[in-house]
Amino acid sequence: DAGVTQSPTHLIKTRGQQVTLRCSPKSGHDTVSWYQQALGQGPQFIFQYYEEEERQRGNFPDRFSGHQFPNYSSELNVNALLLGDSALYLCASSPRGSYGYTFGSGTRLTVV
Amino acid sequence: GIQVEQSPPDLILQEGANSTLRCNFSDSVNNLQWFHQNPWGQLINLFYIPSGTKQNGRLSATTVATERYSLLYISSSQTTDSGVYFCAVPSDSGNTGKLIFGQGTTLQVKP
């Protein structure tokens, strides 16, 4: 049984560009959450999706947006990239209303 | 909002030694989780422990909810225990969407 799959694993972008990160949840999970983890820090909540809608959002600017598809997979989009957006982006899936998170291995984004 | 603090920030052990990691939180919680982040970045859930004590092999955890702290014990440490350990709590009671993480404890176990 596959866990949470994220792609790509690594990515290098230039300031001002746009990026899309992808997440496939664990089988049986319908809720997807995204976290940003800067180097040496704990993960910070970006937003959560279920039923194809954003349900909760952390303290991130509108440059961060997302989408959830009918098959529960999700995308995280970041526009107008800044150097400070360089981080590990983690996706977590869970059954709705559950604390039973499964995390992916993340996408490491470097903005130069 | 709720604050989560972990100590120590860094820990270096010799293989076979025991260790205790601490997590303090600023408000009452109905859930607390301990995670281990492996060298590839993946967060692995170790315990769901809003209160009481749980054990899983060489690892155990205790949460004293009334005093707002949790402890993670690692006994007979192995090099594979190296990595970063995080505790996390819900941002507010009943909120299964948003976890607040501590800054982590980086553990290095030397052979």
Side-chain angles (χ1 to χ4, degrees):
Chain A
D1 178 26
V4 176
T5 304
Q6 292 187 242
S7 63
T9 55
H10 295 82
L11 201 52
I12 299 175
K13 289 286 190 178
T14 304
R15 276 178 299 174
Q17 285 188 316
Q18 178 264 343
V19 68
T20 298
L21 311 181
R22 295 176 175 84
C23 172
S24 293
K26 182 178 179 178
S27 177
H29 289 185
D30 60 358
T31 299
V32 173
S33 303
W34 287 92
Y35 288 80
Q36 180 196 65
Q37 186 179 15
L39 197 61
Q41 304 293 317
Q44 288 199 310
F45 176 80
I46 303 175
F47 41 52
Q48 183 189 61
Y49 278 83
Y50 61 84
E51 292 185 343
E52 302 179 47
E53 290 191 18
E54 182 182 295
R55 299 296 179 172
Q56 291 190 70
R57 188 178 184 91
N59 190 23
F60 280 81
D62 292 344
R63 298 187 297 108
F64 289 77
S65 63
H67 190 76
Q68 186 179 35
F69 299 93
N71 66 353
Y72 309 125
S73 67
S74 177
E75 290 182 348
L76 164 65
N77 301 292
V78 187
N79 294 322
L81 284 166
L82 304 174
L83 295 179
D85 295 332
S86 295
L88 179 67
Y89 289 85
L90 294 164
C91 172
S93 72
S94 62
R96 174 122 58 98
S98 167
Y99 291 115
Y101 295 101
T102 299
F103 279 83
S105 294
T107 294
R108 189 163 298 281
L109 172 64
T110 302
V111 182
V112 297
Chain B
I2 192 167
Q3 306 291 317
V4 180
E5 294 183 356
Q6 293 186 241
S7 60
D10 301 283
L11 192 55
I12 300 175
L13 299 175
Q14 208 65 36
E15 198 168 28
N18 302 328
S19 62
T20 301
L21 284 59
R22 186 177 179 103
C23 172
N24 292 329
F25 42 96
S26 61
D27 205 348
S28 58
V29 297
N30 63 349
N31 196 8
L32 183 142
Q33 300 182 48
W34 282 97
F35 293 91
H36 176 221
Q37 189 164 39
N38 64 27
W40 299 272
Q42 188 175 16
L43 285 166
I44 306 296
N45 179 272
L46 300 174
F47 294 102
Y48 302 97
I49 184 163
S51 63
T53 298
K54 290 187 178 180
Q55 181 152 10
N56 184 2
R58 296 181 296 103
L59 272 60
S60 64
T62 295
T63 297
V64 184
T66 53
E67 298 187 22
R68 300 179 184 172
Y69 72 88
S70 183
L71 302 174
L72 178 68
Y73 305 97
I74 304 174
S75 65
S76 304
S77 57
Q78 301 176 358
T79 56
T80 52
D81 294 329
S82 297
V84 186
Y85 290 81
F86 291 100
C87 66
V89 299
S91 59
D92 47 77
S93 179
N95 186 339
T96 60
K98 180 179 179 180
L99 289 178
I100 305 298
F101 285 79
Q103 298 282 71
T105 292
T106 300
L107 173 64
Q108 182 183 359
V109 181
K110 293 185 173 182

